[in-house]
Amino acid sequence: NAGVTQTPKFQVLKTGQSMTLQCAQDMNHNSMYWYRQDPGMGLRLIYYSASEGTTDKGEVPNGYNVSRLNKREFSLRLESAAPSQTSVYFCASSEGWLNYGYTFGSGTRLTVV
Amino acid sequence: DAKTTQPPSMDCAEGRAANLPCNHSTISGNEYVYWYRQIHSQGPQYIIHGLKNNETNEMASLIITEDRKSSTLILPHATLRDTAVYYCIVRDPNQGGKLIFGQGTELSVKP
């Protein structure tokens, strides 16, 4: 089925380790986004890519880097994981940047110990 | 920061209409109102959006007041599967059209 695929679904890291969260969409969408959701909280935007070749910071970019590898893929990297980065990470995509809904992936549950 | 205010929780009887309010008193003329919901820990699901006119789709209706300072999401016949957190979001085209989520309304549909 068409949609947004995130890998891995679950991950446990030790403090200081690095990892990359992968996201791919097969809907030919132009814009892609990374959010994090802490327990009992709403989603907060980390980074977004309005179109292929561009990336911009969101509300909470510190400690993260992103790469828009091509139109389909948008990865999120944690260079040195910290316990404060324990969260559920959601990737989303949209056809355009304003008058279009987002399609979200099912999330990556990350625990940093 | 989120530009909307929603009640933290609401209950609704199964089969009844669920009316979820949202205040967005500082909305500007070119900002859209979006509604999403999140069931348990799944990824948020798009429901509906509008600018000025009322909108309806297969999931819900969106009623926007004439002054655009508030809106109501209506689920016409709520089912137990509609139990979720509902987010009302004002989307700012001057900020790249990003969706900024608030706390949402936790809707509980009861038998």
Side-chain angles (χ1 to χ4, degrees):
Chain A
N1 292 334
V4 177
T5 302
Q6 292 184 235
T7 56
K9 294 189 181 305
F10 300 92
Q11 184 70 50
V12 178
L13 287 179
K14 294 182 178 179
T15 298
Q17 286 185 319
S18 63
M19 80 162 294
T20 300
L21 281 63
Q22 306 287 351
C23 175
Q25 52 90 9
D26 58 5
M27 296 169 285
N28 201 36
H29 284 174
N30 290 309
S31 303
M32 298 186 73
Y33 313 84
W34 276 105
Y35 287 86
R36 63 176 286 176
Q37 185 173 33
D38 299 330
M41 304 287 287
L43 282 78
R44 291 184 292 171
L45 182 64
I46 306 172
Y47 270 93
Y48 67 102
S49 171
S51 61
E52 185 179 359
T54 69
T55 60
D56 285 287
K57 296 178 180 179
E59 302 170 270
V60 289
N62 291 343
Y64 305 95
N65 286 302
V66 290
S67 296
R68 184 73 183 268
L69 304 170
N70 47 56
K71 193 171 185 179
R72 290 186 63 249
E73 299 172 287
F74 188 39
S75 62
L76 178 71
R77 182 161 179 83
L78 287 71
E79 291 292 350
S80 179
S84 61
Q85 294 178 304
T86 293
S87 191
V88 180
Y89 291 84
F90 290 102
C91 177
S93 69
S94 65
E95 185 172 347
W97 60 271
L98 184 58
N99 191 19
Y100 298 93
Y102 286 18
T103 300
F104 282 83
S106 57
T108 294
R109 284 151 182 78
L110 176 66
T111 301
V112 183
V113 297
Chain B
D1 289 341
K3 300 174 68 172
T4 61
T5 303
Q6 300 176 253
S9 64
M10 293 181 62
D11 290 340
C12 177
E14 188 178 18
R16 299 280 189 160
N19 296 279
L20 290 89
C22 180
N23 287 322
H24 31 79
S25 58
T26 61
I27 194 170
S28 61
N30 60 350
E31 291 180 318
Y32 285 78
V33 178
Y34 278 75
W35 283 84
Y36 283 76
R37 73 181 183 183
Q38 188 174 26
I39 297 173
H40 195 43
S41 299
Q42 300 175 19
Q45 177 188 23
Y46 166 79
I47 301 172
I48 198 167
H49 74 282
L51 182 62
K52 296 179 181 178
N53 300 322
N54 297 337
E55 303 287 345
T56 296
N57 62 21
E58 64 278 5
M59 289 182 68
S61 295
L62 174 61
I63 308 299
I64 302 174
T65 57
E66 191 170 345
D67 63 8
R68 303 187 70 241
K69 294 183 184 299
S70 66
S71 61
T72 301
L73 178 75
I74 301 172
L75 308 178
H77 304 287
T79 70
L80 298 179
R81 288 180 294 181
D82 292 321
T83 293
V85 178
Y86 287 77
Y87 295 98
C88 169
I89 303 166
V90 168
R91 195 170 185 183
D92 183 354
N94 296 320
Q95 293 190 30
K98 303 184 298 294
L99 288 178
I100 304 298
F101 285 76
Q103 295 301 305
T105 295
E106 187 168 4
L107 175 68
S108 296
V109 180
K110 301 181 183 300

mmCIF file of all heavy atoms in Angstrom, chain A residues 17-58:
data_model
loop_
_atom_site.group_PDB
_atom_site.id
_atom_site.type_symbol
_atom_site.label_atom_id
_atom_site.label_comp_id
_atom_site.label_asym_id
_atom_site.label_seq_id
_atom_site.Cartn_x
_atom_site.Cartn_y
_atom_site.Cartn_z
ATOM 1 N N GLN A 17 25.749 6.992 21.635
ATOM 2 C CA GLN A 17 25.721 6.286 20.361
ATOM 3 C C GLN A 17 25.026 7.140 19.307
ATOM 4 O O GLN A 17 24.261 8.056 19.612
ATOM 5 C CB GLN A 17 25.000 4.937 20.503
ATOM 6 C CG GLN A 17 25.804 3.891 21.239
ATOM 7 C CD GLN A 17 25.110 2.534 21.248
ATOM 8 O OE1 GLN A 17 23.899 2.436 21.424
ATOM 9 N NE2 GLN A 17 25.902 1.486 21.065
ATOM 10 N N SER A 18 25.286 6.783 18.057
ATOM 11 C CA SER A 18 24.642 7.486 16.957
ATOM 12 C C SER A 18 23.768 6.520 16.176
ATOM 13 O O SER A 18 23.972 5.301 16.227
ATOM 14 C CB SER A 18 25.687 8.102 16.025
ATOM 15 O OG SER A 18 26.478 7.091 15.443
ATOM 16 N N MET A 19 22.784 7.074 15.489
ATOM 17 C CA MET A 19 21.953 6.257 14.619
ATOM 18 C C MET A 19 21.206 7.145 13.644
ATOM 19 O O MET A 19 21.079 8.365 13.868
ATOM 20 C CB MET A 19 20.973 5.400 15.400
ATOM 21 C CG MET A 19 19.736 6.102 15.889
ATOM 22 S SD MET A 19 18.415 4.942 16.333
ATOM 23 C CE MET A 19 17.995 4.221 14.758
ATOM 24 N N THR A 20 20.727 6.530 12.585
ATOM 25 C CA THR A 20 19.940 7.220 11.570
ATOM 26 C C THR A 20 18.582 6.566 11.454
ATOM 27 O O THR A 20 18.484 5.351 11.303
ATOM 28 C CB THR A 20 20.646 7.187 10.214
ATOM 29 O OG1 THR A 20 21.917 7.841 10.325
ATOM 30 C CG2 THR A 20 19.808 7.902 9.156
ATOM 31 N N LEU A 21 17.540 7.387 11.540
ATOM 32 C CA LEU A 21 16.173 6.931 11.319
ATOM 33 C C LEU A 21 15.835 7.165 9.844
ATOM 34 O O LEU A 21 16.070 8.251 9.310
ATOM 35 C CB LEU A 21 15.179 7.699 12.201
ATOM 36 C CG LEU A 21 15.056 7.277 13.660
ATOM 37 C CD1 LEU A 21 16.362 7.495 14.405
ATOM 38 C CD2 LEU A 21 13.933 8.056 14.332
ATOM 39 N N GLN A 22 15.299 6.120 9.230
ATOM 40 C CA GLN A 22 15.022 6.196 7.801
ATOM 41 C C GLN A 22 13.536 6.438 7.556
ATOM 42 O O GLN A 22 12.681 5.951 8.291
ATOM 43 C CB GLN A 22 15.438 4.892 7.113
ATOM 44 C CG GLN A 22 16.873 4.466 7.356
ATOM 45 C CD GLN A 22 17.879 5.326 6.615
ATOM 46 O OE1 GLN A 22 17.520 6.148 5.784
ATOM 47 N NE2 GLN A 22 19.168 5.135 6.916
ATOM 48 N N CYS A 23 13.245 7.178 6.508
ATOM 49 C CA CYS A 23 11.866 7.444 6.107
ATOM 50 C C CYS A 23 11.798 7.473 4.592
ATOM 51 O O CYS A 23 12.636 8.138 3.958
ATOM 52 C CB CYS A 23 11.388 8.772 6.681
ATOM 53 S SG CYS A 23 9.731 9.254 6.127
ATOM 54 N N ALA A 24 10.815 6.780 4.042
ATOM 55 C CA ALA A 24 10.621 6.775 2.597
ATOM 56 C C ALA A 24 9.135 6.847 2.287
ATOM 57 O O ALA A 24 8.323 6.236 2.981
ATOM 58 C CB ALA A 24 11.228 5.518 1.985
ATOM 59 N N GLN A 25 8.797 7.612 1.250
ATOM 60 C CA GLN A 25 7.400 7.712 0.813
ATOM 61 C C GLN A 25 7.329 7.399 -0.676
ATOM 62 O O GLN A 25 8.240 7.732 -1.436
ATOM 63 C CB GLN A 25 6.811 9.094 1.133
ATOM 64 C CG GLN A 25 7.621 10.288 0.645
ATOM 65 C CD GLN A 25 7.281 10.778 -0.739
ATOM 66 O OE1 GLN A 25 6.286 10.337 -1.341
ATOM 67 N NE2 GLN A 25 8.079 11.698 -1.263
ATOM 68 N N ASP A 26 6.214 6.765 -1.057
ATOM 69 C CA ASP A 26 6.060 6.367 -2.460
ATOM 70 C C ASP A 26 4.874 7.063 -3.117
ATOM 71 O O ASP A 26 4.252 6.503 -4.032
ATOM 72 C CB ASP A 26 5.949 4.849 -2.572
ATOM 73 C CG ASP A 26 4.787 4.296 -1.764
ATOM 74 O OD1 ASP A 26 4.002 5.083 -1.196
ATOM 75 O OD2 ASP A 26 4.664 3.056 -1.688
ATOM 76 N N MET A 27 4.548 8.247 -2.655
ATOM 77 C CA MET A 27 3.403 8.992 -3.180
ATOM 78 C C MET A 27 3.844 10.161 -4.058
ATOM 79 O O MET A 27 3.016 11.005 -4.413
ATOM 80 C CB MET A 27 2.558 9.493 -2.010
ATOM 81 C CG MET A 27 1.960 8.347 -1.205
ATOM 82 S SD MET A 27 1.224 8.894 0.338
ATOM 83 C CE MET A 27 2.689 9.205 1.313
ATOM 84 N N ASN A 28 5.133 10.245 -4.339
ATOM 85 C CA ASN A 28 5.684 11.333 -5.147
ATOM 86 C C ASN A 28 5.444 12.703 -4.499
ATOM 87 O O ASN A 28 5.266 13.704 -5.203
ATOM 88 C CB ASN A 28 5.125 11.314 -6.572
ATOM 89 C CG ASN A 28 6.025 12.070 -7.546
ATOM 90 O OD1 ASN A 28 7.254 12.052 -7.435
ATOM 91 N ND2 ASN A 28 5.424 12.750 -8.508
ATOM 92 N N HIS A 29 5.431 12.723 -3.167
ATOM 93 C CA HIS A 29 5.225 13.977 -2.457
ATOM 94 C C HIS A 29 6.469 14.843 -2.477
ATOM 95 O O HIS A 29 7.602 14.345 -2.461
ATOM 96 C CB HIS A 29 4.823 13.696 -1.009
ATOM 97 C CG HIS A 29 3.410 13.258 -0.865
ATOM 98 N ND1 HIS A 29 2.874 12.841 0.338
ATOM 99 C CD2 HIS A 29 2.391 13.210 -1.760
ATOM 100 C CE1 HIS A 29 1.604 12.545 0.164
ATOM 101 N NE2 HIS A 29 1.284 12.744 -1.096
ATOM 102 N N ASN A 30 6.255 16.146 -2.487
ATOM 103 C CA ASN A 30 7.370 17.079 -2.529
ATOM 104 C C ASN A 30 7.955 17.371 -1.155
ATOM 105 O O ASN A 30 9.152 17.576 -1.007
ATOM 106 C CB ASN A 30 6.924 18.398 -3.156
ATOM 107 C CG ASN A 30 6.641 18.252 -4.626
ATOM 108 O OD1 ASN A 30 7.450 17.730 -5.378
ATOM 109 N ND2 ASN A 30 5.464 18.704 -5.043
ATOM 110 N N SER A 31 7.097 17.430 -0.133
ATOM 111 C CA SER A 31 7.528 17.885 1.198
ATOM 112 C C SER A 31 7.565 16.729 2.188
ATOM 113 O O SER A 31 6.704 15.850 2.153
ATOM 114 C CB SER A 31 6.574 18.964 1.714
ATOM 115 O OG SER A 31 6.505 20.040 0.809
ATOM 116 N N MET A 32 8.563 16.765 3.070
ATOM 117 C CA MET A 32 8.685 15.729 4.092
ATOM 118 C C MET A 32 9.071 16.362 5.424
ATOM 119 O O MET A 32 9.688 17.435 5.460
ATOM 120 C CB MET A 32 9.712 14.668 3.661
ATOM 121 C CG MET A 32 9.308 13.939 2.384
ATOM 122 S SD MET A 32 10.396 12.585 1.928
ATOM 123 C CE MET A 32 9.964 11.343 3.155
ATOM 124 N N TYR A 33 8.720 15.666 6.526
ATOM 125 C CA TYR A 33 8.829 16.255 7.858
ATOM 126 C C TYR A 33 9.230 15.186 8.877
ATOM 127 O O TYR A 33 8.878 14.021 8.735
ATOM 128 C CB TYR A 33 7.470 16.830 8.290
ATOM 129 C CG TYR A 33 6.788 17.678 7.236
ATOM 130 C CD1 TYR A 33 6.026 17.086 6.229
ATOM 131 C CD2 TYR A 33 6.900 19.064 7.250
ATOM 132 C CE1 TYR A 33 5.405 17.853 5.263
ATOM 133 C CE2 TYR A 33 6.272 19.835 6.275
ATOM 134 C CZ TYR A 33 5.537 19.224 5.295
ATOM 135 O OH TYR A 33 4.920 19.982 4.321
ATOM 136 N N TRP A 34 9.945 15.628 9.906
ATOM 137 C CA TRP A 34 10.226 14.781 11.059
ATOM 138 C C TRP A 34 9.664 15.444 12.313
ATOM 139 O O TRP A 34 9.944 16.625 12.584
ATOM 140 C CB TRP A 34 11.724 14.566 11.245
ATOM 141 C CG TRP A 34 12.285 13.458 10.414
ATOM 142 C CD1 TRP A 34 13.036 13.573 9.287
ATOM 143 C CD2 TRP A 34 12.131 12.057 10.655
ATOM 144 N NE1 TRP A 34 13.357 12.327 8.805
ATOM 145 C CE2 TRP A 34 12.824 11.379 9.626
ATOM 146 C CE3 TRP A 34 11.485 11.301 11.642
ATOM 147 C CZ2 TRP A 34 12.887 9.992 9.552
ATOM 148 C CZ3 TRP A 34 11.548 9.929 11.567
ATOM 149 C CH2 TRP A 34 12.246 9.286 10.533
ATOM 150 N N TYR A 35 8.893 14.651 13.086
ATOM 151 C CA TYR A 35 8.340 15.089 14.359
ATOM 152 C C TYR A 35 8.790 14.133 15.459
ATOM 153 O O TYR A 35 9.083 12.970 15.198
ATOM 154 C CB TYR A 35 6.812 15.071 14.333
ATOM 155 C CG TYR A 35 6.157 16.161 13.518
ATOM 156 C CD1 TYR A 35 5.946 16.008 12.147
ATOM 157 C CD2 TYR A 35 5.718 17.339 14.130
ATOM 158 C CE1 TYR A 35 5.336 17.011 11.412
ATOM 159 C CE2 TYR A 35 5.101 18.337 13.388
ATOM 160 C CZ TYR A 35 4.914 18.167 12.049
ATOM 161 O OH TYR A 35 4.297 19.152 11.318
ATOM 162 N N ARG A 36 8.772 14.630 16.671
ATOM 163 C CA ARG A 36 8.930 13.766 17.838
ATOM 164 C C ARG A 36 7.745 13.965 18.773
ATOM 165 O O ARG A 36 7.149 15.059 18.823
ATOM 166 C CB ARG A 36 10.236 14.040 18.589
ATOM 167 C CG ARG A 36 10.372 15.417 19.188
ATOM 168 C CD ARG A 36 11.677 15.544 19.998
ATOM 169 N NE ARG A 36 11.591 14.832 21.277
ATOM 170 C CZ ARG A 36 12.591 14.710 22.143
ATOM 171 N NH1 ARG A 36 13.767 15.257 21.862
ATOM 172 N NH2 ARG A 36 12.424 14.054 23.275
ATOM 173 N N GLN A 37 7.400 12.896 19.488
ATOM 174 C CA GLN A 37 6.283 12.959 20.428
ATOM 175 C C GLN A 37 6.713 12.305 21.722
ATOM 176 O O GLN A 37 6.961 11.097 21.775
ATOM 177 C CB GLN A 37 5.039 12.269 19.870
ATOM 178 C CG GLN A 37 3.831 12.427 20.760
ATOM 179 C CD GLN A 37 2.568 11.892 20.114
ATOM 180 O OE1 GLN A 37 2.590 10.933 19.367
ATOM 181 N NE2 GLN A 37 1.432 12.536 20.402
ATOM 182 N N ASP A 38 6.766 13.100 22.769
ATOM 183 C CA ASP A 38 7.094 12.599 24.094
ATOM 184 C C ASP A 38 5.818 12.132 24.782
ATOM 185 O O ASP A 38 4.718 12.584 24.431
ATOM 186 C CB ASP A 38 7.786 13.676 24.904
ATOM 187 C CG ASP A 38 9.093 14.110 24.250
ATOM 188 O OD1 ASP A 38 9.718 13.273 23.569
ATOM 189 O OD2 ASP A 38 9.472 15.278 24.394
ATOM 190 N N PRO A 39 5.910 11.262 25.765
ATOM 191 C CA PRO A 39 4.721 10.700 26.401
ATOM 192 C C PRO A 39 3.744 11.770 26.874
ATOM 193 O O PRO A 39 4.135 12.722 27.572
ATOM 194 C CB PRO A 39 5.302 9.913 27.574
ATOM 195 C CG PRO A 39 6.670 9.525 27.129
ATOM 196 C CD PRO A 39 7.159 10.679 26.297
ATOM 197 N N GLY A 40 2.479 11.623 26.478
ATOM 198 C CA GLY A 40 1.438 12.547 26.914
ATOM 199 C C GLY A 40 1.494 13.919 26.284
ATOM 200 O O GLY A 40 0.766 14.825 26.709
ATOM 201 N N MET A 41 2.325 14.072 25.267
ATOM 202 C CA MET A 41 2.502 15.387 24.641
ATOM 203 C C MET A 41 2.052 15.355 23.198
ATOM 204 O O MET A 41 1.887 14.299 22.591
ATOM 205 C CB MET A 41 3.977 15.788 24.697
ATOM 206 C CG MET A 41 4.579 15.792 26.083
ATOM 207 S SD MET A 41 4.007 17.174 27.063
ATOM 208 C CE MET A 41 4.913 18.496 26.273
ATOM 209 N N GLY A 42 1.891 16.556 22.646
ATOM 210 C CA GLY A 42 1.630 16.667 21.221
ATOM 211 C C GLY A 42 2.914 16.512 20.427
ATOM 212 O O GLY A 42 4.004 16.355 20.984
ATOM 213 N N LEU A 43 2.803 16.534 19.116
ATOM 214 C CA LEU A 43 3.965 16.381 18.259
ATOM 215 C C LEU A 43 4.718 17.703 18.126
ATOM 216 O O LEU A 43 4.103 18.769 18.052
ATOM 217 C CB LEU A 43 3.531 15.924 16.855
ATOM 218 C CG LEU A 43 3.182 14.454 16.704
ATOM 219 C CD1 LEU A 43 1.791 14.161 17.243
ATOM 220 C CD2 LEU A 43 3.266 14.042 15.245
ATOM 221 N N ARG A 44 6.037 17.604 18.061
ATOM 222 C CA ARG A 44 6.881 18.784 17.859
ATOM 223 C C ARG A 44 7.749 18.575 16.619
ATOM 224 O O ARG A 44 8.359 17.522 16.449
ATOM 225 C CB ARG A 44 7.756 19.049 19.085
ATOM 226 C CG ARG A 44 6.971 19.502 20.309
ATOM 227 C CD ARG A 44 7.895 19.841 21.465
ATOM 228 N NE ARG A 44 8.558 18.650 21.998
ATOM 229 C CZ ARG A 44 9.539 18.697 22.887
ATOM 230 N NH1 ARG A 44 9.987 19.866 23.327
ATOM 231 N NH2 ARG A 44 10.091 17.578 23.334
ATOM 232 N N LEU A 45 7.809 19.591 15.788
ATOM 233 C CA LEU A 45 8.517 19.509 14.527
ATOM 234 C C LEU A 45 10.017 19.650 14.743
ATOM 235 O O LEU A 45 10.473 20.614 15.368
ATOM 236 C CB LEU A 45 8.010 20.599 13.579
ATOM 237 C CG LEU A 45 8.618 20.635 12.182
ATOM 238 C CD1 LEU A 45 8.269 19.371 11.404
ATOM 239 C CD2 LEU A 45 8.115 21.872 11.435
ATOM 240 N N ILE A 46 10.787 18.706 14.213
ATOM 241 C CA ILE A 46 12.239 18.731 14.354
ATOM 242 C C ILE A 46 12.866 19.423 13.145
ATOM 243 O O ILE A 46 13.577 20.420 13.284
ATOM 244 C CB ILE A 46 12.804 17.303 14.490
ATOM 245 C CG1 ILE A 46 12.110 16.550 15.626
ATOM 246 C CG2 ILE A 46 14.318 17.350 14.736
ATOM 247 C CD1 ILE A 46 12.485 15.067 15.685
ATOM 248 N N TYR A 47 12.651 18.871 11.978
ATOM 249 C CA TYR A 47 13.147 19.408 10.712
ATOM 250 C C TYR A 47 12.106 19.127 9.639
ATOM 251 O O TYR A 47 11.297 18.227 9.778
ATOM 252 C CB TYR A 47 14.456 18.714 10.299
ATOM 253 C CG TYR A 47 15.725 19.348 10.804
ATOM 254 C CD1 TYR A 47 16.296 18.907 11.992
ATOM 255 C CD2 TYR A 47 16.357 20.356 10.088
ATOM 256 C CE1 TYR A 47 17.482 19.467 12.458
ATOM 257 C CE2 TYR A 47 17.544 20.924 10.546
ATOM 258 C CZ TYR A 47 18.095 20.474 11.730
ATOM 259 O OH TYR A 47 19.279 21.028 12.188
ATOM 260 N N TYR A 48 12.195 19.895 8.564
ATOM 261 C CA TYR A 48 11.356 19.605 7.421
ATOM 262 C C TYR A 48 12.100 19.913 6.130
ATOM 263 O O TYR A 48 13.108 20.636 6.131
ATOM 264 C CB TYR A 48 10.032 20.378 7.487
ATOM 265 C CG TYR A 48 10.148 21.877 7.340
ATOM 266 C CD1 TYR A 48 9.846 22.507 6.142
ATOM 267 C CD2 TYR A 48 10.522 22.676 8.423
ATOM 268 C CE1 TYR A 48 9.932 23.882 6.014
ATOM 269 C CE2 TYR A 48 10.610 24.051 8.299
ATOM 270 C CZ TYR A 48 10.312 24.649 7.096
ATOM 271 O OH TYR A 48 10.403 26.010 6.968
ATOM 272 N N SER A 49 11.568 19.358 5.054
ATOM 273 C CA SER A 49 12.132 19.571 3.730
ATOM 274 C C SER A 49 10.976 19.940 2.808
ATOM 275 O O SER A 49 10.166 19.087 2.464
ATOM 276 C CB SER A 49 12.826 18.302 3.236
ATOM 277 O OG SER A 49 13.190 18.428 1.886
ATOM 278 N N ALA A 50 10.884 21.200 2.460
ATOM 279 C CA ALA A 50 9.765 21.661 1.644
ATOM 280 C C ALA A 50 9.819 21.067 0.235
ATOM 281 O O ALA A 50 8.779 20.859 -0.401
ATOM 282 C CB ALA A 50 9.745 23.179 1.582
ATOM 283 N N SER A 51 11.019 20.813 -0.251
ATOM 284 C CA SER A 51 11.181 20.201 -1.567
ATOM 285 C C SER A 51 12.539 19.528 -1.616
ATOM 286 O O SER A 51 13.404 19.774 -0.767
ATOM 287 C CB SER A 51 11.064 21.245 -2.677
ATOM 288 O OG SER A 51 12.080 22.226 -2.528
ATOM 289 N N GLU A 52 12.739 18.693 -2.619
ATOM 290 C CA GLU A 52 14.008 17.981 -2.756
ATOM 291 C C GLU A 52 15.148 18.995 -2.822
ATOM 292 O O GLU A 52 15.078 19.968 -3.553
ATOM 293 C CB GLU A 52 13.965 17.128 -4.022
ATOM 294 C CG GLU A 52 15.170 16.255 -4.207
ATOM 295 C CD GLU A 52 15.072 15.404 -5.467
ATOM 296 O OE1 GLU A 52 14.041 15.508 -6.171
ATOM 297 O OE2 GLU A 52 16.022 14.659 -5.761
ATOM 298 N N GLY A 53 16.185 18.735 -2.017
ATOM 299 C CA GLY A 53 17.340 19.614 -2.022
ATOM 300 C C GLY A 53 17.306 20.715 -0.988
ATOM 301 O O GLY A 53 18.279 21.453 -0.838
ATOM 302 N N THR A 54 16.203 20.837 -0.238
ATOM 303 C CA THR A 54 16.113 21.865 0.800
ATOM 304 C C THR A 54 15.738 21.238 2.128
ATOM 305 O O THR A 54 14.967 20.278 2.178
ATOM 306 C CB THR A 54 15.059 22.928 0.467
ATOM 307 O OG1 THR A 54 13.759 22.348 0.539
ATOM 308 C CG2 THR A 54 15.267 23.500 -0.917
ATOM 309 N N THR A 55 16.295 21.770 3.206
ATOM 310 C CA THR A 55 15.908 21.376 4.553
ATOM 311 C C THR A 55 15.908 22.609 5.435
ATOM 312 O O THR A 55 16.691 23.544 5.207
ATOM 313 C CB THR A 55 16.865 20.330 5.168
ATOM 314 O OG1 THR A 55 18.188 20.866 5.236
ATOM 315 C CG2 THR A 55 16.879 19.046 4.343
ATOM 316 N N ASP A 56 15.032 22.600 6.440
ATOM 317 C CA ASP A 56 14.937 23.726 7.374
ATOM 318 C C ASP A 56 14.643 23.231 8.771
ATOM 319 O O ASP A 56 14.037 22.165 8.948
ATOM 320 C CB ASP A 56 13.830 24.690 6.942
ATOM 321 C CG ASP A 56 14.228 25.520 5.754
ATOM 322 O OD1 ASP A 56 15.060 26.429 5.940
ATOM 323 O OD2 ASP A 56 13.721 25.238 4.652
ATOM 324 N N LYS A 57 15.046 24.028 9.757
ATOM 325 C CA LYS A 57 14.818 23.677 11.153
ATOM 326 C C LYS A 57 13.366 23.906 11.537
ATOM 327 O O LYS A 57 12.721 24.824 11.057
ATOM 328 C CB LYS A 57 15.724 24.518 12.056
ATOM 329 C CG LYS A 57 17.198 24.245 11.857
ATOM 330 C CD LYS A 57 18.033 25.153 12.746
ATOM 331 C CE LYS A 57 19.530 24.873 12.548
ATOM 332 N NZ LYS A 57 20.361 25.760 13.396
ATOM 333 N N GLY A 58 12.914 23.054 12.453
ATOM 334 C CA GLY A 58 11.593 23.220 13.029
ATOM 335 C C GLY A 58 11.683 23.780 14.430
ATOM 336 O O GLY A 58 12.543 24.606 14.724
#
